[in-house]
Amino acid sequence: MIKAFGKKAGLFASAMALLLVAFTALAQRADGNINGDASPGDKVYVSNTGTGLKRETVAGEDGKYRFRALPLGTYQVKIVRGEENVLNATVTLRPGGTARPPTPEASAPEAGGDSAPAPAPPAGG
């Protein structure tokens, strides 16, 4: 009887150890994602403030951008439209999570050098 109890206890202990290892592996996921919206063609830069890791991408035709499987930590997110910096935000990645920075405001296209000059104000008025 004692041998049977010992085998059952050993089997139970082994099963619990296996469950504990599986749960710990899931809980220790060491990455996260940054997803957001911008204007199509915006350049998006992320930089981990603790490690200096840097990544960059360009927002797609739908204005969406994605950085997947980034190491956990705090990131500075910068969005550049043309030559103008339109967003500086800080986000923190949690295990298995997705951070979503704010969406920058859409702006009118910048006037280029080929645009027509503005009309002069009326004289005497």
Side-chain angles (χ1 to χ4, degrees), residues 102-125:
T103 301
E105 296 293 324
S107 64
E110 294 181 11
D114 295 335
S115 62

Side-chain angles (χ1 to χ4, degrees), residues 7 27 32 35 38 50 60 64 81 89 105-106:
K7 285 184 180 180
N35 295 349
K64 298 192 180 302
R81 184 173 299 139
E105 296 293 324

Side-chain angles (χ1 to χ4, degrees), residues 14-123:
S14 296
M16 293 308 293
L18 183 61
L19 286 173
L20 181 62
V21 168
F23 178 75
T24 303
L26 288 175
Q28 291 183 356
R29 185 165 176 183
D31 64 8
N33 307 309
I34 298 175
N35 295 349
D37 295 303
S39 291
D42 283 356
K43 294 178 185 173
V44 185
Y45 303 90
V46 296
S47 176
N48 185 305
T49 61
T51 66
L53 172 81
K54 295 179 181 184
R55 297 285 186 264
E56 63 182 74
T57 192
V58 175
E61 290 181 11
D62 59 358
K64 298 192 180 302
Y65 62 88
R66 294 166 189 81
F67 295 93
R68 299 195 189 281
L70 293 170
L72 301 180
T74 300
Y75 285 81
Q76 183 68 34
V77 180
K78 179 179 175 182
I79 299 179
V80 177
R81 184 173 299 139
E83 298 294 320
E84 181 184 0
N85 186 11
V86 295
L87 178 73
N88 275 318
T90 302
V91 297
T92 301
L93 289 183
R94 310 237 183 266
T98 298
R100 301 189 192 285
T103 301
E105 296 293 324
S107 64
E110 294 181 11
D114 295 335
S115 62

